[in-house]
Amino acid sequence: MGVNSLTYNGNTSDLMRVSTLSSNIISSNIQDGALPKVGEILINKSASDKLGGNVIGKKVSMHILVNQKILDKDFTVSGIYTAVGADLTAIMKSAFLNYSDIEKLYSQNGYTLKPNVIYINTNSDKYTAAIKDKIKDMGYSISSQEEMTKLFNQMISILTYVLSGIAAISLVVSAIMIVVVMYISVVERTKEIGIIKAIGARRKDIRRIFVCEAFLIGVFSGIIGVGFAFLLMKGINIMSNKLFKINLVLIKKSYAVFGVGMSIFISTLSGLLPANKAAKLDPVESLRRE
């Protein structure tokens, strides 16, 4: 991190990943250009943008740290790598070279390069588990895309549960506050309720007044909350696009509608108890209140 880099025309791009080509990278992974030949390098869009873009066919200088020594070599950019589906290399600034080029760079500086990763392909995924077990028995560690996906999904699930718990606590607190506010409203408007009953209002009319107030609290609070969430989403995505060229936060319209609906439901439900209390007030006793 912060050591390996590419430079071109005064621009520098830090590299988070420097790797040799493997059978995992095929022609369909190339957005522009072609797979690298001897003396060429393949970079992803994040690195290309950092170098100013339009670098295919141009010579760039690669600087990598090997055994506490910076090795420098010029390569011609052959193409721009793009990930198929969800892949961290779409975000990480990455460079891919032929094994022979890196091996030559090592030998020119008195070092010996040895492979440290082997890619294993299987004809059917039903053999995957047995292959993993065999590799572990041989004493090697394994890393597969499905393992990374599983780990990533577990992290997302944990975050989802944590955020859901915070949201649930917030909803309970909100419901309590609405009940308190509505009860205060009933107490402060006791004489008003008595006057309305004295001129012929029924219990259900009084109940409807307070339920409607709770409903309006839910509508406006839901709209304000969703609006604030959209503004927050815009702000976060502006920052993430500048840094990683991706949108980190996405809010579906259906979720926004659900949020407003949930706000209305909880607020209306919380307003039922104060509404019933207001409906049961005695008009004579209410009129005596100052």
Side-chain angles (χ1 to χ4, degrees):
M1 295 288 291
V3 177
N4 303 325
S5 64
L6 289 175
T7 57
Y8 168 72
N9 200 23
N11 296 318
T12 300
S13 172
D14 291 331
L15 293 175
M16 298 177 70
R17 179 186 183 191
V18 178
S19 175
T20 53
L21 291 174
S22 71
S23 57
N24 282 358
I25 299 176
I26 55 178
S27 298
S28 60
N29 293 124
I30 311 303
Q31 179 176 309
D32 295 302
L35 288 167
K37 299 176 182 177
V38 175
E40 294 182 337
I41 189 171
L42 177 70
I43 61 176
N44 69 342
K45 192 173 185 304
S46 296
S48 174
D49 292 342
K50 222 25 177 162
L51 296 175
N54 193 26
V55 293
I56 297 177
K58 307 293 176 59
K59 277 196 174 293
V60 297
S61 295
M62 185 181 74
H63 317 282
I64 59 173
L65 179 67
V66 178
N67 294 333
Q68 306 304 314
K69 180 182 178 182
I70 297 292
L71 307 185
D72 304 307
K73 189 168 180 62
D74 292 341
F75 291 94
T76 301
V77 178
S78 68
I80 306 301
Y81 170 87
T82 181
V84 178
D87 193 330
L88 287 176
T89 51
I91 303 172
M92 299 191 315
K93 297 177 180 65
S94 308
F96 304 90
L97 306 92
N98 287 290
Y99 185 86
S100 58
D101 284 328
I102 296 187
E103 188 177 39
K104 184 178 179 181
L105 178 61
Y106 267 61
S107 63
Q108 287 174 346
N109 289 273
Y111 301 128
T112 301
L113 178 65
K114 294 181 179 180
N116 60 359
V117 175
I118 297 175
Y119 291 95
I120 299 176
N121 298 319
T122 176
N123 296 330
S124 173
D125 57 4
K126 68 181 181 181
Y127 303 124
T128 303
I131 292 173
K132 287 181 183 178
D133 292 338
K134 184 65 176 177
I135 292 172
K136 286 180 179 179
D137 292 340
M138 294 170 66
Y140 294 98
S141 60
I142 62 170
S143 175
S144 63
Q145 292 179 350
E146 62 206 52
E147 292 292 335
M148 292 179 65
T149 302
K150 188 185 296 183
L151 179 62
F152 187 73
N153 287 335
Q154 287 176 349
M155 291 172 61
I156 293 295
S157 297
I158 291 171
L159 287 174
T160 301
Y161 293 142
V162 171
L163 292 175
S164 298
I166 294 172
I169 294 170
S170 299
L171 290 175
V172 172
V173 172
S174 299
I176 294 171
M177 290 304 299
I178 291 170
V179 171
V180 171
V181 169
M182 295 300 294
Y183 265 116
I184 293 173
S185 178
V186 170
V187 171
E188 290 181 344
R189 295 159 62 185
T190 300
K191 188 173 183 179
E192 178 185 332
I193 295 168
I195 294 171
I196 294 172
K197 280 192 170 186
I199 60 177
R202 297 163 296 178
R203 282 191 173 187
K204 62 181 180 180
D205 296 324
I206 302 297
R207 189 179 296 110
R208 284 172 183 169
I209 291 173
F210 286 92
V211 170
C212 285
E213 287 182 5
F215 173 83
L216 291 174
I217 290 173
V219 170
F220 288 111
S221 61
I223 292 173
I224 292 170
V226 169
F228 180 76
F230 272 106
L231 289 175
L232 194 62
M233 177 189 73
K234 291 288 185 184
I236 293 173
N237 287 341
I238 288 171
M239 293 176 62
S240 65
N241 271 299
K242 287 182 178 179
L243 295 172
F244 310 115
K245 305 297 181 185
I246 61 168
N247 292 325
L248 283 179
V249 182
L250 295 173
I251 300 176
K252 292 182 179 180
K253 292 182 179 178
S254 57
Y255 292 167
V257 173
F258 175 78
V260 174
M262 182 61 69
S263 174
I264 293 172
F265 173 76
I266 291 176
S267 184
T268 304
L269 192 65
S270 301
L272 290 177
L273 285 175
N276 286 329
K277 177 177 176 59
K280 292 176 182 178
L281 288 176
D282 183 87
V284 176
E285 291 296 327
S286 300
L287 287 171
R288 289 178 180 174
R289 291 286 187 94
E290 290 295 334

